[in-house]
Amino acid sequence: MEHVNHPFSELFEQLGLPADSASIQAFIETHSPLPEKTALADAPFWNAGQAAFLRNAWEEDADWAETVDQLNIALRKS
């Protein structure tokens, strides 16, 4: 199975969020650091559809899993 590496901009578009570099950076700065005990999909700033997408990407090891993991890491940094 070939995995596709999606850039952050495509992930943010998939989540229905502004996907330009400045908006992505602002989102990460606004929501960081995400507490270690909080799963990415359980963060309070996602709506139900976004949370489901993130959860499914990880559980199914979908094409998005690597990019979702990168977002998770970015949100854990202070």
Side-chain angles (χ1 to χ4, degrees):
M1 177 178 178
E2 183 178 326
H3 284 275
V4 177
N5 187 15
H6 297 281
F8 266 0
S9 60
E10 287 181 13
L11 177 59
F12 275 67
E13 288 174 359
Q14 187 71 22
L15 293 168
L17 299 170
D20 60 278
S21 296
S23 295
I24 292 170
Q25 185 63 34
F27 180 90
I28 292 170
E29 289 175 5
T30 299
H31 298 293
S32 292
L34 184 62
E36 286 299 321
K37 292 183 179 182
T38 303
L40 178 63
D42 294 335
F45 45 82
W46 304 122
N47 66 35
Q50 292 166 328
F53 174 81
L54 294 168
R55 192 171 288 108
N56 289 338
W58 262 344
E59 290 173 356
E60 297 175 10
D61 195 24
D63 286 346
W64 292 102
E66 186 174 332
T67 309
V68 169
D69 191 46
Q70 291 171 356
L71 177 60
N72 183 46
I73 291 167
L75 287 168
R76 305 275 175 196
K77 297 178 181 177
S78 51

